[in-house]
Amino acid sequence: MKYQVSQYLKFLIRSSNQHGVHSPFVYNLVTKCFYDRKTYPAYKAITAYKKALTNNKEIITITDLGAGSLTSNQNTRPIRSIAKHAGTSLKRAKLLYRLVNYLECQLVLELGTSLGIGTHAMALGKNSKISTVEGCPNIYNFTKENLKSLTNTTLIHSDFSSAIENLKSNAYDLVFFDGHHTKQATLAYFEALLNSTHNDSVFIFDDIYWSEDMTEAWETIKQHPKVKVTIDTFYWGLVFFRKEQEKEHFTIRL
């Protein structure tokens, strides 16, 4: 936690808003999507889903295949605690919804379903089809039941490496890396899915300042020759592969 606080202070110093962004693509993304203040009808469903989870007192046994939790080392946790501390925040769930619509993402892969807060938000996007992978059997079963009404969403119970082997033949519009917060794993999944992109694909990496290890992974990803544009929002790192653009890195406050 100390590392995250120090990194956030540094982030505030070097970050900016749309001013000074000379890339038309990034400028439009920031002004028309990141800073879009409209209230969409889907926000009611996103808020209701999150609220139901934060009110859920059920206790679940966790099998954690990733880097664990920064707030709890117990293997039994209340659903409401997971929703509050580990689940996607309401603000970022709404942003996921806007991103899927703004970037016209149809085929989406999520590594790390958890309670499905982000999954649910992306599934509400127009024409989106979501494949989402969860390693913990109890969370998988819980979330599959909660998201059963979403016909455009496929939940997969698997470790990430095995799932990627079975799914990497697709070309994804968006891949959301939201689990297994270690440098080695993050870079392995990134490399494994590089050929599952097209020119307009976006990769979103969650918690790039989770640890020094994760920040090192993010810095390595930024330097990859296929990566053209990156946007550091502190909680997320966004990666674009647009061949027509010069390589640029942006740090944007949300």
Side-chain angles (χ1 to χ4, degrees):
M1 190 64 71
K2 191 175 181 180
Y3 174 76
Q4 291 182 323
V5 171
S6 68
Q7 290 302 306
Y8 187 65
L9 293 174
K10 293 176 183 177
F11 169 84
L12 290 177
I13 293 169
R14 69 176 185 272
S15 61
S16 64
N17 52 26
Q18 74 272 26
H19 300 297
V21 173
H22 300 297
S23 162
F25 169 75
V26 176
Y27 180 86
N28 287 331
L29 177 66
V30 171
T31 56
K32 297 179 180 180
C33 180
F34 286 8
Y35 295 164
D36 181 357
R37 303 306 182 209
K38 297 187 195 76
T39 300
Y40 292 94
Y43 285 0
K44 283 188 177 181
I46 293 170
T47 302
Y49 186 78
K50 172 87 174 182
K51 184 177 181 181
L53 292 172
T54 54
N55 289 335
N56 190 314
K57 298 179 181 178
E58 181 180 344
I59 294 175
I60 195 167
T61 301
I62 305 296
T63 304
D64 204 324
L65 304 182
S69 168
L70 288 179
T71 58
S72 174
N73 58 8
Q74 296 181 345
N75 63 353
T76 56
R77 299 177 213 160
I79 291 295
R80 61 183 180 183
S81 176
I82 300 172
K84 180 179 179 182
H85 298 293
T88 303
S89 71
L90 192 57
K91 179 180 178 180
R92 292 199 288 278
K94 291 176 179 178
L95 177 54
L96 277 175
Y97 168 78
R98 295 199 303 274
L99 279 166
V100 166
N101 281 331
Y102 179 80
L103 296 172
E104 299 180 348
C105 299
Q106 295 183 30
L107 200 58
V108 176
L109 173 62
E110 179 184 40
L111 298 177
T113 316
S114 188
L115 300 178
I117 299 168
T119 319
H120 175 260
M122 292 188 290
L124 296 176
K126 184 171 61 175
N127 300 323
S128 63
K129 183 179 180 182
I130 318 295
S131 296
T132 180
V133 183
E134 176 55 47
C136 172
N138 290 333
I139 290 183
Y140 165 81
N141 290 327
F142 175 88
T143 304
K144 187 176 183 180
E145 178 65 22
N146 274 266
L147 297 182
K148 64 183 179 181
S149 64
L150 297 177
T151 57
N152 62 338
T153 302
T154 301
L155 270 74
I156 300 162
H157 177 222
S158 172
D159 64 89
F160 293 170
S161 295
S162 300
I164 288 170
E165 278 301 309
N166 294 323
L167 297 167
K168 66 182 182 181
S169 59
N170 297 312
Y172 293 100
D173 301 307
L174 187 155
V175 180
F176 187 27
F177 298 79
D178 189 15
H180 207 158
H181 295 90
T182 67
K183 177 181 179 179
Q184 183 179 3
T186 299
L187 292 177
Y189 304 146
F190 166 72
E191 292 281 356
L193 285 165
L194 268 178
N195 290 330
S196 301
T197 61
H198 54 78
N199 194 60
D200 296 320
S201 297
V202 57
F203 281 2
I204 302 176
F205 293 90
D206 185 61
D207 281 330
I208 57 175
Y209 294 101
W210 171 278
S211 63
E212 291 184 53
D213 201 46
M214 275 300 292
T215 306
E216 288 174 7
W218 171 241
E219 292 300 326
T220 300
I221 287 165
K222 285 167 62 177
Q223 300 310 316
H224 193 281
K226 285 191 176 181
V227 171
K228 288 294 187 174
V229 173
T230 68
I231 303 176
D232 176 350
T233 70
F234 187 75
Y235 296 105
W236 288 347
L238 287 81
V239 171
F240 296 91
F241 304 91
R242 296 162 56 85
K243 294 177 182 177
E244 65 272 26
Q245 295 210 205
E246 294 295 322
K247 194 175 187 77
E248 285 188 276
H249 308 295
F250 300 88
T251 305
I252 302 293
R253 290 190 300 271
L254 294 180

